[in-house]
Amino acid sequence: MAALSTQVPPLAGLAITFASAAAGGDTCLTGAGVVLLVKNGDSASHTVTLVTPGTVNGLAIADRPVPVAAGAMEAIPVTADYRDPSTGRASITYDAVTSMQVAVLRVNVS
């Protein structure tokens, strides 16, 4: 898994840097104002999955699949619900990585 860097846009704006989605998945920070941007440059739809660690009353919490249409871009909030207590980061997987690019942003929410 690749650890994605978090980009923090200043008030003057930011030219977002995208990275190729890693075949083995990626990780990123979580929290208020953290967003995963996913660009699907492929001709097919793909699914991005945020792994949800933990259980409720002994039952596993379902992971969050997010479909990204061909040629589309999705903004996916990465709240603290996805924070793995052992790493402090969210785990992200992809059904395929062909032409998939990702970026993580954290914006002020004050």
Side-chain angles (χ1 to χ4, degrees):
M1 287 195 157
L4 299 173
S5 297
T6 302
Q7 301 171 62
V8 181
L11 293 177
L14 173 74
I16 299 169
T17 302
F18 284 85
S20 295
D26 291 309
T27 67
C28 72
L29 295 178
T30 67
V34 177
V35 176
L36 172 68
L37 297 178
V38 181
K39 289 194 319 187
N40 180 0
D42 198 9
S43 60
S45 178
H46 290 297
T47 300
V48 176
T49 301
L50 292 174
V51 176
T52 308
T55 60
V56 174
N57 294 324
L59 301 173
I61 302 168
D63 294 340
R64 166 131 355 246
V66 179
V68 182
M73 182 163 61
E74 293 286 332
I76 306 167
V78 187
T79 64
D81 296 329
Y82 302 107
R83 183 180 296 124
D84 182 326
S86 65
T87 64
R89 300 176 69 84
S91 294
I92 306 155
T93 62
Y94 314 95
D95 69 341
V97 294
T98 303
S99 300
M100 295 285 284
Q101 293 189 309
V102 293
V104 178
L105 298 179
R106 183 178 52 80
V107 296
N108 290 329
V109 291
S110 58

